[in-house]
C-alpha cells in the first residue's frame, strides 16, 4: 500500500512539472506584468469629483429619483409645512414662566416643560422625528439646537427671549366675520405713556 502511495505521489509531481513546463514564466513585478496606468482600478479619489460632475442634474432637468407627492395630497390641500416649521411655531407660542439657577446652571419653565441645558426636549408635535436639545440657557435667552446639527457650520437653532417683566394688558373684543361673540385679543400696554387725543 505504501509503495502505491509513493508511486501516485511521484506520478502527480511528474505530471505537474510537465504541465508547468508548457506555461511561460511571468514576472508580475516587471513593467509588462502590471499596467502602469491606474485606469483599470476604477475611479481614484482625486478624479472622483470630476467624474461626478457629469452626473449632476441641472435644476430644469427631471430627477427620476425624487420623491413625488401624491396627487390626492395636492388636491386635498394637505399641510405643506415642514416639520421644522411646525416645531418652531409651537416653541414660539410657548411662554417662559420662570427661570431658576441651580448647581448645574439655569433651568427654565417653557410652557409646561422644564428645560435644562444639555438635555433633550420632549416631542412637541405628533410623529416628530427631529430631536431638539437645549444648548444654552441664560437669564435673558434660551438657545435650542436640532440634534445632529451641533457640529455643523450653520446649525438649525431657535433662540427664545426670556422676558419675566410684569405686564399690564386688557382683553379687547375683535370684530369677526362669522358673528361669534367670543372673539377677543389680549393687548399689552407699552411702558411709555399712551397717547391721548
Amino acid at each position: 500500500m505504501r509503495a502505491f502511495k509513493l508511486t501516485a505521489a511521484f506520478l502527480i509531481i511528474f505530471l505537474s512539472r510537465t504541465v508547468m513546463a508548457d506555461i511561460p514564466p511571468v514576472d508580475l513585478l516587471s513593467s509588462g506584468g502590471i499596467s502602469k496606468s491606474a485606469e483599470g482600478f476604477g475611479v481614484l479619489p482625486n478624479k472622483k469629483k470630476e467624474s461626478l460632475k457629469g452626473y449632476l442634474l441641472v435644476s430644469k432637468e427631471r430627477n427620476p429619483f425624487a420623491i413625488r407627492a401624491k396627487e390626492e395630497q395636492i388636491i386635498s390641500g394637505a399641510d405643506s409645512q415642514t416639520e421644522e416649521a411646525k416645531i418652531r411655531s409651537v416653541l414660539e407660542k410657548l411662554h417662559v414662566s420662570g427661570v431658576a439657577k441651580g448647581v448645574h446652571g439655569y433651568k427654565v419653565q417653557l410652557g409646561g416643560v422644564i428645560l435644562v441645558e444639555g438635555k433633550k426636549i420632549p416631542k412637541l408635535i405628533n410623529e416628530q422625528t427631529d430631536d431638539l436639545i437645549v444648548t444654552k440657557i441664560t437669564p435673558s435667552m434660551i438657545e435650542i439646537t436640532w440634534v445632529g446639527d451641533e457640529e455643523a457650520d450653520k446649525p438649525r437653532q431657535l433662540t427664545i427671549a426670556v422676558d419675566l417683566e410684569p405686564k399690564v394688558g386688557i382683553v379687547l373684543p375683535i370684530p369677526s366675520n362669522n358673528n361669534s361673540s367670543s372673539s377677543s385679543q389680549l393687548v399689552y400696554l407699552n411702558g411709555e405713556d399712551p397717547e391721548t387725543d
Side-chain angles (χ1 to χ4, degrees):
M1 183 69 173
R2 187 166 189 223
F4 177 73
K5 287 183 181 177
L6 285 173
T7 307
F10 285 124
L11 186 61
I12 292 172
I13 292 172
F14 176 74
L15 291 175
S16 65
R17 285 193 174 205
T18 57
V19 170
M20 295 296 283
D22 295 339
I23 300 172
V26 176
D27 185 13
L28 293 176
L29 299 177
S30 68
S31 61
I34 296 178
S35 63
K36 290 185 180 179
S37 71
E39 299 298 324
F41 293 111
V43 181
L44 297 175
N46 57 353
K47 304 276 184 176
K48 189 174 186 178
K49 192 171 187 179
E50 288 124 23
S51 65
L52 285 177
K53 288 181 181 176
Y55 297 105
L56 294 177
L57 293 176
V58 182
S59 61
K60 295 178 183 177
E61 291 180 318
R62 182 179 167 271
N63 184 355
F65 301 105
I67 298 172
R68 307 256 179 233
K70 294 180 181 176
E71 293 298 325
E72 304 90 43
Q73 290 179 346
I74 296 171
I75 294 168
S76 65
D79 190 9
S80 62
Q81 256 189 332
T82 63
E83 182 176 339
E84 180 182 350
K86 290 178 185 177
I87 291 171
R88 284 182 185 272
S89 67
V90 168
L91 285 171
E92 288 169 353
K93 290 178 185 175
L94 297 176
H95 298 286
V96 177
S97 304
V99 178
K101 184 171 183 175
V103 178
H104 302 291
Y106 288 97
K107 293 182 180 181
V108 174
Q109 182 170 355
L110 181 67
V113 181
I114 295 177
L115 304 179
V116 180
E117 191 171 320
K119 300 286 184 180
K120 285 186 180 178
I121 298 176
K123 305 289 184 188
L124 299 168
I125 59 174
N126 293 335
E127 300 175 9
Q128 178 179 336
T129 58
D130 289 341
D131 288 327
L132 301 149
I133 191 167
V134 180
T135 50
K136 187 176 183 182
I137 298 177
T138 65
S140 60
M141 57 84 76
I142 306 164
E143 186 178 87
I144 298 170
T145 306
W146 270 250
V147 172
D149 287 2
E150 300 101 344
E151 303 299 324
D153 292 335
K154 293 183 179 179
R156 293 178 291 170
Q157 291 183 334
L158 176 66
T159 304
I160 301 171
V162 175
D163 184 17
L164 297 175
E165 294 291 321
K167 295 180 181 177
V168 177
I170 186 168
V171 177
L172 297 175
I174 297 176
S176 62
N177 296 338
N178 57 5
N179 296 330
S180 64
S181 60
S182 63
S183 298
S184 61
Q185 180 181 6
L186 178 62
V187 178
Y188 291 106
L189 299 176
N190 292 342
E192 305 168 358
D193 293 330
E195 294 180 9
T196 55
D197 292 329

